[in-house]
Amino acid sequence: MLLASWLACGWSVRRFGVRGRWNGLAMGAAAFGLLMAAELALSRLAFGRSAAEYLRALAEPAGAVGLASQTAFAVLPWVRAGGAGRA
């Protein structure tokens, strides 16, 4: 999934002309926020979990691995936009 995200991120960065550290960070933050909102909504609608239950699940080992992957997903635009080379 991260490979697909890497490829889609490269396309998005080129398509929208995202350049530099701050623009890449902003794009990643927006993507992360949307991803977490979608996950919370899915958790509520499909599994009937409250927001507190969803957050508690992130503290479990499987949830922590998922959160780490989502954080890596959020960093991809920064890397693809050239922020990693100038950090």
Side-chain angles (χ1 to χ4, degrees):
M1 190 52 68
L2 283 175
L3 175 60
S5 296
W6 175 262
L7 296 172
C9 178
W11 177 85
S12 296
V13 164
R14 285 187 305 277
R15 167 71 177 86
F16 297 109
V18 179
R19 299 276 184 260
R21 168 182 7 208
W22 297 112
N23 292 334
L25 283 174
M27 183 179 186
F32 184 76
L34 289 171
L35 175 64
M36 296 308 287
E39 281 213 351
L40 176 59
L42 181 65
S43 180
R44 291 277 299 153
L45 295 172
F47 303 108
R49 293 183 188 160
S50 68
E53 290 171 324
Y54 170 71
L55 292 174
R56 270 195 303 274
L58 292 177
E60 298 293 323
V65 169
L67 184 59
S69 295
Q70 292 158 342
T71 303
F73 163 81
V75 172
L76 292 179
W78 175 70
V79 173
R80 298 295 304 249
R86 294 180 239 159

